Amino acid sequence: KPLTIGFSQVGAESEWRTANTASIKSAAKQAGVNLKFADAQQRQENQVKAIRSFIAQRVDVIAFSPVVESGWDTVLREAKAAKIPVILTDRAVKVSDPSLYVSFIGSDFVEEGRRAARWLVEHQKKNPNRGYNIVELQGTVGSAPALDRKAGFAEVIAGNPKLKIIRSQTGDFTRAKGKEVMEAFLKSEGKNINVLYAHNDDMAIGAIQAIEEAGLKPGKDILVVSIDGVKGAFEAMLQGKLNVTVECNPLLGPQLVQTAQLVKAGKPVPKRITVNEGVFPAEVAAKEFPNRKY
Amino acid sequence: MRGVSGVGKLAAAPWFTSMVTVVLLLAMLVIGGQAYEGFLSLQVMLNLLIDNAFLLVIAIGMCFVILSGGIDLSVGAVLALATMIAAWLLQAGWPPLAVIALVLLGGSAFGGAMGAIIHVFRLQPFIVTLAGMFLARGLCYLISIESITIEDPLFVAMSQTQIPFLGGFLSPGALIALLMLALAVWVAHFSSFGRAVYAVGGNEQSAEMMGLSVGRTKILVYAFSGFCAALAGVLFSFYMLSGYGLHAQGTELDAIAAVVIGGTLLTGGYGYVLGALSGVLVLGTIQTLIAFDGTLSSWWTKIVIGALLFVFCVVQRLMGMRQK
Amino acid sequence: MGASATQVPVLEVTGIHKQFPGVKALSDAGLRLYPGEVHTLMGQNGAGKSTLIKVLTGVYQPERGSIVLDGKAIAPGSTQDAQILGISTVYQEVNLCPNLSVAENIFIGRYPRRFGMIDWRAMRRDAAALLARLQIDIDVSKPLSTYPLAIQQMVAIGRALNISARVLILDEPTSSLDENEVQLLFSVLRSLREQGMAILFVTHFLEQTYAISDRITVMRNGEREGEYLCSELSRLALVNKMVGAPEAAPEQGASAGATNAPQGETFLATRALARKGVLAPVDLAIHKGELLGLAGLLGSGRTETARLLFGADKADSGAIEIGGRSRSFSTPRDAIAEGIGFCSEDRKHEGAILSLSVRENLILALQARQGLLRAIPMRRQQELATYYVQQLGIKTASIETPIGTLSGGNQQKVLLARWLATEPKLMILDEPTRGIDVRAKQEIMDYVTTLCRKGMSILFISSELPEVLRVSDRIVVMRDRNVCGEYRRGELDDSSVLHVIAGEGCA
Amino acid sequence: MNVPLNPAALTSAQPASPSLFQHPLFRPLAALAVLLLIDFALIPGFFKLEIRDGHLYGGLVDIVNRAAPLMLAAIGMTLVIATRGIDISVGAVVALSGTVASMLIGGTMVMNNGVPEYVAQTPMALAILAALGAALLCGLWNGFLVAGLGLQPIVATLILMVAGRGLAQLLTDGQIVTVYYQPFFFLGSGYLFGLPFALFVVVAVFAVTSFLMRHTALGLFIQAVGVNPVAARLAGIRTAALIVFVYVFSAACAGMAGLMISSNVKSADANNAGLLLELDAILAVTLGGTLLAGGKFSLVGSIIGALIIQTLTYTIYSLGVPPEVNMVVKSVVVFLICISQSDQLKTLWKRRAA
Ligand SMILES: Nc1ncnc2c1ncn2[C@@H]1O[C@H](COP(=O)(O)OP(=O)(O)OP(=O)(O)O)[C@@H](O)[C@H]1O
Ligand SMILES: Nc1ncnc2c1ncn2[C@@H]1O[C@H](COP(=O)(O)OP(=O)(O)OP(=O)(O)O)[C@@H](O)[C@H]1O
Ligand SMILES: [Mg+2]
Ligand SMILES: [Mg+2]
């Protein structure tokens, strides 16, 4: 009898997420694992429902990418009572009893924010005469990546008085909003803006268009720093419009399936499994581009 | 009989619709049971109630609003606000019962205020409650943009208690929702407030001319809906043990859909509160079916939800017409 | 007769002014109601009768004026206030909730209770008993909307009677009732009068006024023209006072026999036209230029026949023959294309489009027939509207006024004009003169008969038998959803027609 | 007959006092003006317009440009609402049409010896037609559900609202489709005579719609059906066909909005494009003074409503309002605008004063 994994995904709100789903599905297929996939359409209550139905179906392992950090105690206790191990992917959860899940595979959003900031700090050291007034495009208000990427970035630049965030507004992680907000920034701050920090590539791509339409050169007049490392970002880097993207690797599938198999076999697994993530400045884009899967 | 033919048909329709809904719901469960192993187990059925308790409570409030000829888009946001305030106050060390009481009062006041604006300024419910929705979500973020975990023992206990029921278990939240439903059915059919809601929905002007207090009824209806949303918020915080501004996004549409599927006419005046239960169960069953299937990608999930909704509405409609 | 000059009025209304945007509805209007009296309020369409009633029951707030009840000045702010003060009202348009059951419509706001809960059993029982007093035997647990207008009207009256009140106000309660119901209502009113209630009654029927009232107040152009004892005012004088001209008003029946159609060509004939549960197979022929009357009691199936002829409902079996071709109408459009027009009896739900202007309402059917793309030029629309407003004497501030703000009778005239404007070959008039004042009714019927003489066929349905007898070339009598007889002009008179429709004298 | 009437008096359109303040568009316009005034006071250089790269450049241009899809959606929504319906599938149709067009035009970037090269696919005209065709199908579907099956508009369109995005994502496999074909960008971010091209599209659609409303009986029929469908049918109006028409029209408008949005961001994001656009469109229609209960409607009002919403959004961005306060500000302004538009306010005010 093949291993059955019940996986509850957040949704399909971005390319990143789609790549994440695809990776998990293909990994499961390759390993001959039976995958029960449920899409929560961005709602926590749907994830809870899905997990309950996995319990009712007695799957071997439950895995999910939590929409939010808190609120998982009850349902995870039910899973534990049914003796089904739980693996978290992509985002962590806050629970009173850490034994409620066996492992967490995923990135660290705060660290991503820090990396983006560190790149900028380096850049500043090399170009001390340049201005570093930053505008920030945040993700969806209240969402974990937005909170963490903001916090990590802020933490690092706090040590450098030359780096200043002059505007910060939400672009809801979308291109259209990213462009719209950037347009407004450009009108009210004009040439004051030296750096754009976007919480994801999509917003950065939208904003780049706004910058070009304002007659400025993205990547030169305004440095563009973003996070995710999707294909579009690489294309932009090839054209010199984006300076750096911090990778947030969605290809967790193989690691997830492997961990699940280990758990099922009763082998010990690490509580925290980090994924390999890089920082890709424009200089390496051309080399990296052909390797991009998503 | 002739009876102003169109209107006559409508008058009879909700009754059929409600019955048809129940029949279709049963059919769907049976089909699910055939297709997926373990689907028809008792606990899966009880989970339908546990997982949708908050939606049921919201739908009850929505049902009254729709019966009165209005609509309330703010319920999902009020729910989120309720979880947020509860979590925030609990964190600040307030006693849990006081928090619950305050949240329920606050929800009623919020709803009542919208009702008053709708009535006093003769504004359209859609717009006022849409603005109310923005406001309630906005207020969540003012408290905190992060989610706040609830650690209060009472809430935790409510979250984890399993009440044995026919061999399975129910959550306290589900039980509260069922009690609320019973109360609402009683109010709708045996209290003058409930009847006034129907009258106002049937014809506001006539209700006024018959000497009913339309303004009071409307304000109370929105206050009641606000109360239900806040109660749903309390249930939701039992369920999730957290307060969060992004909780229950889009729940207002689910609630409206549930009410309408349950046989209530959006134009007001026709329908049954009990129908809200069948509507909620239909939506819940659709989701459970999809979760049990477990092969649908994110987009197929959407398409299948749409398709099932479509099939459901069409069959409901055709059977209703046939009966006529 | 309880009225005596020494009594003090229960309700005294003086110097009421009420202005609507662009219309002065009431200026210095007034009224005195004595206990134990039936008081009739009369006036032409748009004279301000309904508005006065709405002012004194709290629907509208007057700009000026005083209302004194039992010696105390009152200012009802809502209908609820008025009810608490003991004023019970039936408004002109049926104002009930169509979605609620008949019983509930009667008792809403004053439910019988048991253990703090609404006692549905008692409510249904009491409602049935109350309606039985009005000799109406229906299932009171069904929604009101399943019953025809007349029943709804009786339910509204039942509701008003059930409120223990000092003052009872009835605004045109008889406009959709037939003779029997009217007599029933009157006997109830008489017994209430005996008990000392003050009753205010509005009607356009002179007969009814003289049959029931003790005192008459005449209104003209929003003013009180005068108050008269019924016994001291002749009909002619009354009409003249309403109209405000000392000219001789034509008495009813003066222009009887206006048409005398050639009985030649058939315009339309039905072949066993039927609809299950609604109408038994009907064979009917309407000739060109003929005015065919359809007589019958409430619920005899006249409206159903009209609706089938017009395609408003679809027939289950049978056919309609026009010009030798057999047709079946499934929508009103089909009928309209054949040159048929239909003026419905239920103007509020099936006729008036309340928030549109008089002009738009008036040209609607014509425009629908011409089709979407060939819009009638604005100039032409205005001409048409102005023409009919003048022809039918529609009282409106302008042709751009929303029809909803017109008085009931004037709305009816606009709807009539809507169909006249299409110059139909067959016009189906279901209770066309409902709520229209004496003078105007005469004029409208004259106008219609003129058109008839010019070749238009008319199917005329009215609960006013004398009117049907007077104008029809031929009368078809219906009973229990069957055609049960056909008579030529002169074969029936006021008394024999009653026998016929009640079922004595035809197979 | 007996009522002496002066024909001239009858035809004079409005009953006297056609004062400026009573005009139905006065209050929406006033709200917009107040918003702009606030911007003028608080945002330096708000009204500054300059010529850059041969076209107008400035905050106002942005507002109009960004409001264009919303204005289109609002025009369509106005007619639906006038028939007492509602169309909540607008956002999904936007996503669908944008996706279809972007996929067909598509174009992928190929690296040729380190030099990016772009490849286009289907001819643009064909792609645009296909996208609009998809939108029309959506409209037909909605119309059929409402008029044919008699479903309540909100549920009928809810079905497409849920499934439409799913379909669009199905087409793209959940990916964002990037377009590399230059001419396509003209629709959403091009300039004609120094003005945004999108503006011309809106003006054209608006002109055609108002022409239809004024010079055919469409407007009259739509209102009649909205106010009293029973009476409208009895008067001989083809109510069902009319209802199908308004849903098709609304979907067509949404389809154009979708093209505009995807052209503007040079890509189609099936999951996020036009998200919640339906709510904004309904809000715009109501702010413009059209009642959700059907009947009288105002196309100009809806346009003004859309401009109010976009100006408000722009203001929030430009003022540097922290994102967590956005919603509160927006809701308070909507409340204020609604209340200020209420007739009742005046009455209450007078009563207070008296
Ligand atoms: N709500 C309103 N808004 C504007 N004008 C109104 C309104 N109600 C009534 N009117 C106007 O007031 C005048 C008096 O109307 P009212 O309904 O009182 O007449 P009525 O005497 O009852 O006539 P009828 O016999 O036809 O019922 C009419 O000219 C009418 O157009
Ligand atoms: N007195 C009554 N008691 C019970 N039901 C009645 C009564 N009068 C009418 N009805 C109901 O009315 C229905 C049809 O009546 P309708 O009024 O449409 O016929 P009609 O001949 O057009 O009468 P009218 O035009 O005078 O109203 C019948 O099916 C019957 O149920
Ligand atoms: Mg009247
Ligand atoms: Mg009839």
Side-chain angles (χ1 to χ4, degrees), chain B residues 1-3, chain C residues 135-138 146-151 176 178 181 277-278 296-305 345 430-431 434 461-463 478 481:
Chain B
M1 106 204 32
R2 170 173 68 85
Chain C
Q135 293 194 7
I136 289 181
D137 177 24
I138 54 173
T146 50
Y147 294 103
L149 204 58
I151 300 282
S176 45
D178 72 9
E181 273 83 12
V278 167
L297 290 179
L298 271 190
S300 56
R302 296 163 299 172
T303 298
E304 277 73 12
T305 314
E345 64 179 342
D430 194 356
E431 311 280 0
R434 164 167 299 163
I461 303 174
S462 171
S463 298
M478 297 195 67
R481 308 186 179 112

Side-chain angles (χ1 to χ4, degrees), chain C residues 46 49-51 92 171-172 202 204 407-409:
Chain C
K49 305 179 292 293
S50 302
T51 307
Q92 182 168 10
D171 193 354
E172 294 195 37
V202 180
H204 289 297
S407 80

Side-chain angles (χ1 to χ4, degrees), chain B residues 119 192-193 196 200 204-218 220, chain C residues 53-61 69 74-89 91 108-111 113 159 163-165 167:
Chain B
H119 173 68
S192 19
F193 166 67
V200 170
E204 193 174 319
Q205 207 192 342
S206 294
E208 180 103 54
M209 294 252 191
M210 289 201 280
L212 294 177
S213 173
V214 172
R216 204 184 62 130
T217 307
K218 275 169 64 173
L220 277 179
Chain C
I53 287 171
K54 286 183 179 167
V55 163
L56 60 93
T57 55
V59 179
Y60 296 147
Q61 265 60 50
L69 183 75
I74 59 167
S78 69
T79 46
Q80 208 181 8
D81 292 355
Q83 271 181 28
I84 292 169
L85 289 166
I87 305 175
S88 175
T89 318
Y91 296 95
I108 195 159
R110 298 164 284 117
Y111 293 103
R113 281 170 189 280
R159 175 181 167 82
I163 298 173
S164 47
V167 178

Side-chain angles (χ1 to χ4, degrees), chain C residues 20-21 23-26 43-52 54 60 92 171-172 202 204 395-397 401 404-410 435 437:
Chain C
F20 291 111
V23 191
K24 191 132 187 66
L26 297 176
Q44 283 184 288
N45 292 134
K49 305 179 292 293
S50 302
T51 307
L52 181 61
K54 286 183 179 167
Y60 296 147
Q92 182 168 10
D171 193 354
E172 294 195 37
V202 180
H204 289 297
K395 188 175 178 235
T396 171
T401 317
T405 65
L406 262 55
S407 80
N410 284 307
D437 70 50

Side-chain angles (χ1 to χ4, degrees), chain C residues 1 42 134 153 174 223 236 244 283 324 351-352 386 393 414 460 478:
Chain C
M1 302 274 138
M42 297 212 66
L134 298 168
Q153 182 76 64
T174 53
E223 291 173 38
L236 185 60
D283 286 300
T386 314
V414 175
F460 180 60
M478 297 195 67

Side-chain angles (χ1 to χ4, degrees), chain A residues 12-15 18 42 138 141 167-170 174-177 179-181 183-188 202 209 213-215 235 238-239 289, chain D residues 52 57-59 62 66 109 111 118 169 173-176 178 180 189 264-267 271-272 310 313-314 316-318 320-321 323-324 326:
Chain A
E13 74 280 10
S14 61
E15 285 190 296
T18 317
Q42 268 92 308
Q138 303 183 22
V141 178
R167 283 288 166 114
S168 183
Q169 181 57 263
T170 174
T174 67
R175 284 191 193 182
K177 278 278 169 195
K179 183 171 184 181
E180 186 177 340
V181 174
E183 276 175 350
F185 283 171
L186 286 166
K187 298 294 175 315
S188 45
D202 283 339
Q209 296 175 3
E213 281 166 25
E235 290 173 3
L238 290 179
Q239 297 164 316
F289 184 62
Chain D
R52 248 191 228 185
Y57 177 89
D62 278 357
R66 227 34 78 233
M109 187 170 72
M111 289 303 287
Y118 307 121
Q169 279 183 302
D173 240 4
Q175 301 292 323
I176 295 179
T178 310
Y180 299 97
S189 35
N264 186 262
V265 291
K266 307 181 166 109
S267 61
N271 196 64
N272 295 307
Q310 196 55 42
T313 313
Y314 188 88
I316 287 175
Y317 293 156
S318 306
V321 175
E324 51 271 22
N326 282 2

Side-chain angles (χ1 to χ4, degrees), chain B residues 299-310:
Chain B
W299 34 95
W300 274 112
T301 305
K302 288 179 190 164
I303 297 174
V304 170
I305 292 179
L308 287 178
L309 261 180
F310 166 73

